[in-house]
């Protein structure tokens, strides 16, 4: 075909740029089993590490005897806190300003806590050795319930903090208290409640769960004694941060540490922080001079590395009789487990919980969060959400339903009445955020029309009557949710991790023949960056996405970035990509002007090159410009065509959405069937609609799991219950409902391409939609709030309490 | 989740297998599909030092029709039960039950013999075998014997199987043509053991129940044959009151544990619900010939 007759639409399509449903390029290797994960990497002489873990939730360790293990052929070393002490590595700092024992230092504070690290020639020998290590314990009283943690006579859970009346985030009120964090105008809020016509108050708990990526946490440390260099492969969502932390802890200079995050099988917040396994592998490699691999098994993953949620939110709304909200007051009791190893930006001990005013125009609000220690695993990570945003969304969305019920109003109508209006953006929330953009009424109306909301309510009413007449044993629930997220951490003025500002970065290099390699500080764990980042560049620079190679995860080659979590990659790294591309484009324009012998100002961009204004036949494509950039640049201009951008976002972005869940509950078994689930998302500019849809499907599946039964539970002795996929609910294709997706587009005004991030919206918005549906189903029988998770037996117990079983 | 060391044996005959088991005593275990045994070994809840794989014994993998009895070899997989035309025609409840076990991957490996010999109250086939009045053929150093499924189970993981014995086959009396059946299982998700499950086989004489057998899965430390409940429905038209009475009688013999599936109370109640639903479905099938 003749190049000349290609239409503009065809030129555009050839780029597979933004807006294109480009197929995921990484799937070519993933679907053929050719991904390269940490456990696929095998180095010569590699040893394997594995942990001796605590049987008890709280105990003093009287004695550790490893002599039998050390006598087992193939065992190379057994490391305990005693061995780490001289290196100062038996404790490590956490991202939340606390310290955490790397290996138990005379005491264990949660079940399965790491006590000793066995290094052996293979995994089997390591596990055999573990059985041979004798640990003598002296059991101590256990605190499992966070509501008991600050009892006057509660056992001291952190003797290492004795006498410390101040923590990283201010005064400590009790020996098991970590921090109190407050925000908002307390007296104005109290006034609003004092003068309110209607108020509601409810303890809304969000139970403990776990991100549970399919690939568990793992690493491979290889120390080169001759060069004094450490190479660390790992499942890191934030490889550069790991490098900095590793350097600070090990004193190995940062340029001598090579952190490589290869393909990652899901992260969901589980792989942001630093774990004992990393430190011990590094130490073991330094000591033995051999590479040491550590791979968590499923039970270790579920029971030790980073749980999520465990927030107990006492929530109050003040309102007028006709349903206008006038104040919000929330107190959170946050269970952080044995150590505060939350992965939040350092100044935010409760993450962005202050997004709890949600999508509503609250004139005043006040939030207080108390963090406490318990004898449970540490963590509190953002499981597919931006730092406590799921907790906040669940809190406000549940509370709005409770208010609607009290007022006798339809929950959708109540939301419509209180939404922040389009013309109020940029909107200053009562708890300190500036919402960038939104059109909530439009999105909600579109969603209600699409699902046939009023008809569903009519059907529900008829079913309720039939139920009362004894004609059916099913009740119907309609879950309404309208969430607003805050993502894209974040502006250096308020976001850092251990002092490192939360910018992100991109480096784009165009080769002479017009193809591209680009590297980012972000790190995909399944999000599809290799696909979408290329699409941004394709549109910005007019080079087909297929000619663009994206590389992430190698800290030697990638520019420094803060990694991928909290839906921050598109808002921050995505912006850096666009900005770097624009630098290149500026230079390209100079080169094009030189080649076309016109002034730069006489040129205009047209899909894949520059053309002379008013003379569209005279063009230079980006490919031609790339060749010239290296071989015949304009006099005085340095050759080459590449750029780096570090992007410090001016604000967060605020994606939002309207989700509806329709469910039918069998009151005799408690089993809930999801009839429909409709999700409308507004994530601003849409880079790849197919990937967005995939992200929404995945996040909704997680939300379904969490709301309907996924839980990390403990008995009263602090024994973790059901930390395997037999009990921990990970839905298969059979259980997963069918998802209907939809969208509106409200670009972010401050983001270079207007994109907001979407990966976490479905988890954030999905959980309240499911929970509200369960609550909505039972509401007509007199319930106000039913705690999650809504697994069948708990739902049945509600029916039992209501006397529905005759 | 890494098993300890063990020696792997692959005998070619029942005699050889029994010999190996006898030689190694308590340290040896028969190994069939491995889908109960290997998880236990990975958790080091079982640490046999000798595994005697039954997969090399070809005559254990057959399904035979002996007229009034169907004989299923111990290593017939759950997938093979599902595929069998013979069973579909004569013992359709086997297929219905097998389809509710675990997932396709596990059913491809897991065997009927392993499922019934395992002694885990969560296994689905034992209650079904009790419902059907099956007998187990056990081969040991002293020859072969038969034990009724209803007598076989003593406690969780304790059965009448002696060390050194293997289960070679299951003999199932075929219920009359036109019988009604149902296996109703409540579970949290694919791949889960029952919160509670009930197996029902019955025959009708006109609209009256002529015979009935009811058994329960995972609501006690063994499978339960619900004798009283079975007796209650015979001679009735299976009216609502009878169904309720049978469910109550079945519940009365349960002793479930509280676990992630629910409280003991919930699981007991669910046993009743499953019995009621299975009875109604079985009667419906008997009536309509479905
Ligand atoms: C995730 C998962 C979910 C599951 N869900 C279910 C479920 O819902 N319902 C269900 O019924 N099962 C379930 N199972 C178990 C599965 O059906 C097993 O395959 C079955 O219980 C055991 O059969 P097997 O052939 O795999 O036996 P193995 O695991 O090989 O052996 C089990 C035990 O029986 C002994 N044994 C095996 N064969 C013989 C024999 N011929 N003679 C004497 N002893 C023998 C072994 O020594 C061992 O002690 C599940 C398993 C998994 C992993």
């Amino acid at each position: 075909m003749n190049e000349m007759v290609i239409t503009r639409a065809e030129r555009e399509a050839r780029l597979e740029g933004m807006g294109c449903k480009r197929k995921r390029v990484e799937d070519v290797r993933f679907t053929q089993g050719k991904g390269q994960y940490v456990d696929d990497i095998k180095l010569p002489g590699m040893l394997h590490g594995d942990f001796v873990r605590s049987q008890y939730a709280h105990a003093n360790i009287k004695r550790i005897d490893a002599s039998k293990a050390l006598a087992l052929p193939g065992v190379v070393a057994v490391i305990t806190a005693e061995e780490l002490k001289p290196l100062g590595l038996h404790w490590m700092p956490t991202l939340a300003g606390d310290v955490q024992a790397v290996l138990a230092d005379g005491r264990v504070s949660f079940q399965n806590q790491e006590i000793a690290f066995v290094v052996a020639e293979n995994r089997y020998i390591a596990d055999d050795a573990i059985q041979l290590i004798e640990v003598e314990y002296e059991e101590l009283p256990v605190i499992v319930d966070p509501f008991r943690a600050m009892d006057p006579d509660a056992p001291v859970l952190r003797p290492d903090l004795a006498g410390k009346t101040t923590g990283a985030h201010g005064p400590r009120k009790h020996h098991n208290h970590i921090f109190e964090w407050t925000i908002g105008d307390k007296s104005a809020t109290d006034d609003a409640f004092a003068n309110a016509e209607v108020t509601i108050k409810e303890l809304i708990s969000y139970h403990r769960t776990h991100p549970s990526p399919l690939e568990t946490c793992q690493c491979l440390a290889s120390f080169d004694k001759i060069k004094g260099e450490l190479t660390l492969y790992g499942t890191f969502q934030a490889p550069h941060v790991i490098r900095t932390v590793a350097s600070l802890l090990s004193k190995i200079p940062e340029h001598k540490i090579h952190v490589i995050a290869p393909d990652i099988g899901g992260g969901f917040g589980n792989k942001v922080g630093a774990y004992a396994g990393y430190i011990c592998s590094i130490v073991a490699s330094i000591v033995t001079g051999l590479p040491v691999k550590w791979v968590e098994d499923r039970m270790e993953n579920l029971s030790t590395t980073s749980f999520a949620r465990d927030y107990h939110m006492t929530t109050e709304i003040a309102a007028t009789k006709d349903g206008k909200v006038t104040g919000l007051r929330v107190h959170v009791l946050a269970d952080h487990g044995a150590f505060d190893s939350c992965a939040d930006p350092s100044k935010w001990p409760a993450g962005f919980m202050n997004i709890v005013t949600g999508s509503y125009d609250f004139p005043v609000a006040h939030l207080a969060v108390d963090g406490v220690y318990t004898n449970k695993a540490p963590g509190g990570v953002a499981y597919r959400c931006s730092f406590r945003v799921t907790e906040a969304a669940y809190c406000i969305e549940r509370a709005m339903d409770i208010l609607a019920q009290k007022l006798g109003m339809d929950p959708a109508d109540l939301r419509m009445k209180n939404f922040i209006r389009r013309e109020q953006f940029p909107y200053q929330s009562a708890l300190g955020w500036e919402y960038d953009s939104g059109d909530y009424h439009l999105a909600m109306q579109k969603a209600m029309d699409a699902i046939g909301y009023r008809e569903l309510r009519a059907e529900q009413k008829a079913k309720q009557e039939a139920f009362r007449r004894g004609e059916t044993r099913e009740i119907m629930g309609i879950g309404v949710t309208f969430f607003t997220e805050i993502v894209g951490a974040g502006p250096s003025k308020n976001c850092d991790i251990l002092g490192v500002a939360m910018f992100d970065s991109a480096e784009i290099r165009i080769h002479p023949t017009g193809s591209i390699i680009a590297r980012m500080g972000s790190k995909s764990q399944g999000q599809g960056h290799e696909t979408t980042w290329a699409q941004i560049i394709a549109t910005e620079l007019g080079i087909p996405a297929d000619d663009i190679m994206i590389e992430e995860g190698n800290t030697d080659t990638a520019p420094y970035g803060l990694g991928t979590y909290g839906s921050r990659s598109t808002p921050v790294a995505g912006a850096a990509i666009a900005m770097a591309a624009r630098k290149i484009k500026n230079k390209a324009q100079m080169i094009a002007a030189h080649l076309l012998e016109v002034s730069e100002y006489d040129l205009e961009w047209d899909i894949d090159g520059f053309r002379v204004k008013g003379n569209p036949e005279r063009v230079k494509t980006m490919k031609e410009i790339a060749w010239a950039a290296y071989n015949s640049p304009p006099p005085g201009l340095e050759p080459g065509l590449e750029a780096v951008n570090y992007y410090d976002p001016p604000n967060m972005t605020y994606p939002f959405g309207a989700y509806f869940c329709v469910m039918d509950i069998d009151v005799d078994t408690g089993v809930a069937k999801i009839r429909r689930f409709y999700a409308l998302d507004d994530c601003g500019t849409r880079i790849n609609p197919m990937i967005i849809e995939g992200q929404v499907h995945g996040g909704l599946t997680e939300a379904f799991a969490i709301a309907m039964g996924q839980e990390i539970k403990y008995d009263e002795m602090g024994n973790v219950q059901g930390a395997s996929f037999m009990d921990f609910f990970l839905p298969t294709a059979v259980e997963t409902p069918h998802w209907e997706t939809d969208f509106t587009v409200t670009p972010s005004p401050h983001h270079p391409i207007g994109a907001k991030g979407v990966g976490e919206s479905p988890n954030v918005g999905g959980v309240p939609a499911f929970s509200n549906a369960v609550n909505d189903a039972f509401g007509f029988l007199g319930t106000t709030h039913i705690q999650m998770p809504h697994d069948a037996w708990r739902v049945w117990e509600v029916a039992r309490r209501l006397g529905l079983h005759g | 989740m890494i098993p300890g060391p063990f020696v792997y044996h692959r005998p070619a005959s029942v005699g050889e297998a029994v010999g190996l088991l006898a030689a190694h005593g308590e340290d040896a275990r028969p190994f069939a599909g491995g889908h109960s045994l290997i998880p236990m070994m990975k958790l080091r809840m079982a640490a046999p030092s000798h595994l005697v794989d039954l997969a090399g014994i070809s005559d254990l993998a057959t399904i035979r029709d002996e007229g009034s009895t169907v004989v299923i070899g111990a290593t017939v997989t759950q997938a093979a039960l599902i595929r069998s035309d013979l069973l579909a025609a004569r013992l359709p409840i086997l297929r219905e039950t097998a389809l509710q076990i675990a997932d396709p991957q596990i059913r491809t490996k897991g065997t009927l013999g392993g499922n019934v010999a395992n002694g885990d109250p969560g296994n689905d086939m034992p209650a079904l075998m009790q419902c059907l009045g099956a007998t187990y053929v056990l081969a040991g150093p002293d020859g072969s014997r038969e034990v009724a499924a209803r007598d076989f189970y003593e406690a969780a993981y304790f059965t009448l199987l002696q060390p050194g014995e293997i289960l070679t086959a299951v003999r199932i009396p075929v219920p009359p043509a036109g019988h009604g059946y149902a296996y109703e299982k409540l579970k949290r998700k694919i791949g889960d053991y029952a919160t509670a499950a009930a197996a029902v086989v019955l025959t009708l004489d006109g609209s009256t129940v002529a015979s009935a057998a009811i058994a329960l899965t995972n609501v006690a430390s063994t499978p339960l044959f619900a004798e009283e409940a079975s007796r209650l429905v015979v001679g009735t038209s299976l009216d609502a009151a009878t169904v309720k009475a049978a469910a109550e009688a079945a519940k009365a013999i349960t002793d479930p544990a509280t676990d992630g599936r629910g409280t003991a109370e919930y699981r007991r109640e669910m046993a009743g619900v499953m019995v009621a639903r299975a009875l109604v479905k079985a009667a419906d099938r008997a009536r309509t010939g479905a």
Side-chain angles (χ1 to χ4, degrees):
Chain A
M1 208 169 83
N2 184 341
E3 281 284 311
M4 300 303 290
V5 303
I6 282 190
T7 64
R8 296 190 77 247
E10 281 165 340
R11 276 164 59 208
E12 183 106 44
R14 203 163 53 172
L15 296 180
E16 294 194 286
M18 283 197 283
C20 169
K21 290 187 185 179
R22 184 176 186 228
K23 282 194 181 155
R24 284 170 38 116
V25 293
E26 40 277 88
D27 288 352
V28 175
R29 65 178 188 278
F30 292 154
T31 55
Q32 297 181 64
K34 298 285 191 228
Q36 274 290 307
Y37 299 91
V38 171
D39 205 19
D40 293 316
I41 301 168
K42 296 180 174 67
L43 300 180
M46 185 171 82
L47 302 172
H48 296 258
D50 206 347
F51 283 109
V52 174
R53 294 179 178 278
S54 174
Q55 288 173 35
Y56 298 105
H58 199 197
N60 285 323
I61 295 179
K62 309 296 287 179
R63 188 178 61 94
I64 303 172
D65 183 352
S67 52
K68 285 186 196 144
L70 284 164
L72 189 73
V75 173
V76 178
V78 176
I79 299 172
T80 66
E82 291 309 311
E83 278 73 39
L84 295 179
K85 241 172 230 175
L87 307 168
L89 288 176
H90 53 315
W91 289 79
M92 63 178 174
T94 70
L95 297 181
D98 195 1
V99 289
Q100 173 172 0
V102 174
L103 291 171
D105 184 16
R107 175 182 292 225
V108 286
S109 320
F110 65 97
Q111 192 184 44
N112 286 355
Q113 186 177 339
E114 299 82 0
I115 293 176
F117 191 64
V118 176
V119 185
E121 283 168 9
N122 64 48
R123 195 76 203 276
Y124 291 85
I125 297 173
D127 235 47
D128 292 343
I130 284 170
Q131 320 294 321
L132 298 174
I133 293 175
E134 290 164 20
V135 182
E136 194 185 314
Y137 302 90
E138 175 189 55
E139 280 186 78
L140 295 168
V142 169
I143 292 281
V144 172
D145 179 357
F147 288 92
R148 299 280 322 284
M150 291 205 285
D151 282 357
D153 59 345
V156 177
L157 303 189
R158 290 289 302 275
D160 62 296
L161 301 179
K164 288 201 175 150
T165 51
T166 320
H169 306 285
R172 297 171 66 218
K173 296 187 274 203
H174 180 276
H175 53 259
N176 294 329
H177 186 239
I178 309 171
F179 63 84
E180 182 185 23
W181 188 73
T182 61
I183 189 165
D185 186 335
K186 182 155 179 0
S187 70
T189 307
D190 290 346
D191 284 351
F193 277 87
N195 299 321
E197 291 170 358
V198 181
T199 62
I200 60 124
K201 180 174 185 177
E202 192 68 54
L203 170 63
I204 297 171
S205 278
Y206 196 145
H207 58 285
R208 182 177 273 240
T209 182
H210 194 279
S212 57
L214 279 190
E215 181 202 34
T216 58
C217 295
Q218 37 203 274
C219 74
L220 168 55
S222 180
F223 185 70
D224 183 326
K225 285 194 174 181
I226 312 287
K227 294 186 187 158
E229 291 180 19
L230 172 70
T231 304
L232 182 64
Y233 301 89
T235 47
F236 307 135
Q237 291 181 237
H240 283 99
V241 178
I242 292 286
R243 187 182 71 190
T244 301
V245 171
S247 173
L248 292 173
L249 290 181
S250 69
K251 316 283 189 304
I252 302 171
E254 200 166 354
H255 69 289
K256 291 198 169 186
I257 300 181
H258 316 289
V259 173
I260 297 169
D263 285 331
I264 298 183
F268 312 114
N270 184 219
K271 296 168 177 170
V272 175
Y275 296 121
Y278 307 164
I279 311 259
C280 290
S281 304
I282 293 170
V283 170
S285 180
I286 293 173
V287 170
T288 62
L290 290 168
V292 176
K293 184 185 271 185
W294 168 71
V295 177
E296 259 186 336
D297 71 24
R298 181 63 56 199
M299 287 181 160
E300 293 177 300
N301 179 254
L302 288 173
S303 65
T304 66
T305 47
S306 291
F307 77 91
R309 325 298 193 228
D310 219 342
Y311 252 37
H312 308 275
M313 307 172 285
T314 303
T315 313
E316 296 170 85
I317 299 179
T320 63
K321 277 197 301 262
D322 61 352
K324 196 88 187 125
V325 296
T326 55
L328 175 71
R329 192 160 57 194
V330 179
H331 177 267
V332 181
L333 183 67
D335 183 343
H336 286 251
F339 307 98
D340 186 9
S341 60
C342 254
D344 292 326
S346 299
K347 292 191 203 78
W348 300 86
F352 303 152
M353 183 64 198
N354 54 325
I355 192 72
V356 70
T357 51
S359 315
Y360 314 105
D361 189 12
F362 279 96
V364 292
H366 186 256
L367 165 69
V369 182
D370 277 302
V372 295
Y373 294 118
T374 59
N375 290 120
K376 298 193 241 173
V381 299
Y383 169 7
R384 204 181 187 135
C385 78
S386 179
F387 322 110
R388 304 294 185 184
V389 174
T390 38
E391 288 90 329
Y394 183 61
C395 176
I396 188 62
E397 287 307 296
R398 200 66 275 292
M400 288 301 276
D401 263 26
I402 295 168
L403 177 64
Q405 187 185 22
K406 177 141 188 185
L407 292 166
M409 264 180 93
D410 182 279
D413 294 342
L414 177 71
R415 285 171 170 81
M416 282 287 209
K417 181 155 194 160
N418 288 289
F419 279 150
I420 299 160
R421 295 183 316 278
R422 189 176 57 183
E423 63 275 15
Q424 287 177 282
F425 291 93
Y427 171 82
Q428 301 294 332
S429 81
L431 293 179
W433 295 117
E434 183 182 298
Y435 291 28
D436 60 351
S437 64
D439 191 339
Y440 297 167
H441 289 94
L442 178 83
M444 187 66 161
Q445 194 59 53
K446 184 173 182 187
M448 287 168 70
D449 294 345
I451 195 152
Y453 183 69
R454 305 285 176 206
E455 293 76 12
L456 285 168
R457 284 287 174 208
E459 182 193 344
Q460 182 188 37
K461 196 152 192 303
K463 274 199 120 178
Q464 288 169 350
E465 281 154 17
F467 183 82
R468 287 209 156 101
R469 290 193 302 268
E471 291 163 15
T472 172
R473 299 294 290 158
E474 260 185 11
I475 53 177
M476 173 178 169
I478 305 166
V480 178
T481 291
F482 197 100
F483 66 92
T484 294
E485 262 201 294
I486 171 168
V487 306
S492 59
K493 62 177 182 279
N494 46 25
C495 292
D496 69 88
I497 287 184
L498 298 176
V500 183
M502 292 184 73
F503 56 82
D504 225 294
S505 60
E507 178 198 282
I508 303 174
R509 179 176 304 161
I510 307 196
H511 302 314
T513 52
S515 67
I516 291 178
I517 181 157
R519 299 179 171 112
M520 290 80 192
S522 50
K523 173 62 205 170
S524 180
Q525 310 119 43
Q527 291 87 343
H529 290 172
E530 288 167 51
T531 308
T532 48
W533 290 168
Q535 289 181 258
I536 298 176
I537 299 172
T539 294
E540 291 286 341
L541 290 179
I543 298 285
D546 275 348
D547 293 346
I548 301 167
M549 158 94 87
I550 301 297
E551 197 184 272
E552 294 178 319
N554 184 335
T555 53
D556 285 344
T557 54
Y560 201 107
L562 275 281
T564 295
Y565 41 86
S567 272
R568 67 184 299 278
S569 290
T570 293
V572 193
I577 294 165
M579 299 308 274
R582 286 171 197 181
K583 283 190 193 173
I584 289 178
K585 204 167 171 179
N586 283 343
K587 182 170 178 183
Q589 188 163 359
M590 289 190 238
I591 298 166
H594 171 67
L595 295 174
L596 290 164
E597 296 175 327
V598 294
S599 147
E600 277 174 55
Y601 307 104
D602 294 330
L603 292 178
E604 60 187 2
W605 178 254
D606 183 46
I607 300 173
D608 50 12
F610 285 98
R611 67 180 179 202
V612 177
K613 284 180 195 162
N615 195 349
E617 300 297 294
R618 298 199 60 209
V619 291
K620 282 291 164 196
T621 66
M622 203 66 185
K623 278 203 182 234
E624 293 169 310
I625 296 167
W627 185 259
Y630 285 91
N631 304 311
S632 49
L637 196 69
E638 91 183 81
L641 200 53
E642 62 184 78
V644 184
N645 180 269
Y646 286 80
Y647 190 79
D648 181 5
N651 190 4
M652 311 277 189
T653 62
Y654 298 76
F656 57 92
Y659 289 3
F660 285 79
C661 172
V662 185
M663 88 172 44
D664 300 292
I665 295 173
D666 174 346
V667 297
D668 290 324
T669 58
V671 172
K673 276 200 305 266
I674 312 302
R675 196 199 304 178
R676 284 183 74 182
F677 196 103
Y678 168 91
L680 179 147
D681 275 286
D682 191 320
C683 58
T685 303
R686 291 156 60 85
I687 299 167
N688 182 326
M690 187 168 67
I691 286 194
I692 290 173
E693 218 172 88
Q695 290 285 309
V696 172
H697 287 184
L700 287 176
T701 304
E702 286 175 335
F704 166 65
I706 296 167
M708 305 312 284
Q710 187 180 81
E711 183 187 18
I712 298 287
K713 225 181 0 183
Y714 290 82
D715 69 10
E716 64 283 4
M717 302 296 294
N719 298 307
V720 60
Q721 308 288 294
S724 86
F725 282 164
M726 183 55 79
D727 285 304
F728 187 82
F729 181 36
L730 210 67
T732 70
V734 177
E735 291 79 39
T736 302
H738 173 75
W739 310 119
E740 303 168 45
T741 57
D742 205 345
F743 63 95
T744 54
V745 177
T746 315
S748 169
H750 64 75
H751 187 280
I753 59 171
K756 290 187 171 186
V758 75
E760 302 177 330
S761 299
N763 194 321
V764 171
V767 171
F770 287 107
S771 185
N772 280 349
V774 173
N775 276 282
D776 184 67
F778 280 103
F780 80 110
L781 298 166
T783 59
T784 311
H785 174 65
I786 302 165
Q787 299 289 13
M788 284 195 297
H790 304 299
D791 38 9
W793 72 271
R794 287 181 170 103
V795 171
W796 178 87
E797 300 247 302
V798 175
R800 188 92 176 152
R801 281 198 298 279
L802 291 168
L804 303 185
H805 299 141
Chain B
M1 298 232 275
I2 304 278
F6 57 84
V7 180
Y8 173 82
H9 305 270
R10 194 180 170 93
S13 70
V14 171
E16 203 187 322
V18 168
L20 280 163
L21 289 169
H24 297 290
E26 298 274 347
D27 288 342
R29 280 279 196 105
F31 174 86
H35 273 67
S36 288
L37 188 51
I38 290 178
M40 284 192 287
M41 289 169 63
K42 287 166 95 174
L43 296 169
R44 301 210 181 208
M45 284 158 60
S49 35
H50 294 270
L51 284 187
V52 179
D53 189 350
L54 306 179
I57 310 172
S58 52
D59 36 330
L60 293 186
T62 55
I63 304 177
R64 280 202 321 276
D65 187 356
E66 295 187 352
S68 62
T69 307
V70 166
V71 183
I72 304 178
T75 61
V76 170
T77 62
Q78 289 143 16
L81 298 178
I82 292 167
R83 278 197 309 267
S84 164
D85 292 335
L86 169 68
L87 296 180
R90 307 200 62 201
L91 280 163
I93 194 169
L94 240 67
R95 178 167 200 273
E96 176 156 300
T97 306
L99 278 169
Q100 295 181 69
I101 291 179
D103 56 43
Q105 290 96 317
I106 290 165
R107 298 197 293 258
T108 300
K109 294 300 286 179
T111 66
L112 177 62
N115 199 294
V116 300
N118 190 29
D120 181 337
N123 282 130
D124 289 292
M125 287 297 174
L128 177 59
M129 294 304 134
Q130 295 192 335
C131 172
L132 289 164
T135 51
Y136 300 155
V137 184
L138 311 178
D142 306 326
S144 190
R145 61 182 180 126
E146 288 190 16
V147 177
R150 291 178 193 171
D151 300 330
F152 185 71
Y153 300 95
E154 298 186 299
Y157 301 104
F158 286 94
T159 66
L160 292 186
L161 190 78
Q162 295 301 309
E165 274 187 323
I166 61 170
L167 185 150
T168 54
V170 177
R171 301 179 59 84
I172 307 173
V174 180
H179 71 276
Y181 67 91
Y183 191 73
E184 286 288 303
K185 176 176 176 180
L186 182 66
K187 57 181 177 183
R188 295 170 296 182
K189 60 178 174 186
I190 287 298
D192 193 16
Y193 293 93
T195 302
V200 169
V201 170
L202 54 72
T203 56
L204 292 183
D205 183 0
S207 60
T208 307
V209 178
S211 70
I214 303 171
L216 308 172
T217 295
N218 215 18
V219 282
S221 64
T222 64
L224 297 173
F225 177 59
E227 203 171 345
E228 167 77 3
S230 309
R231 201 179 47 72
L232 269 175
V233 299
V234 175
T236 73
S237 63
L238 218 55
D239 53 296
T242 306
V243 170
K244 194 158 188 250
E248 289 300 322
K251 267 159 51 181
I253 63 168
T254 64
D255 183 19
T258 293
D259 67 8
R261 297 171 183 86
T263 58
E265 184 200 11
Y266 174 67
R267 298 183 61 196
R268 176 177 297 116
E269 292 300 323
M270 290 310 101
V273 173
M274 293 301 108
V275 165
R277 290 184 181 179
L279 277 170
V280 170
K281 191 188 246 182
D284 221 46
R285 280 171 166 163
R287 253 181 244 119
T288 60

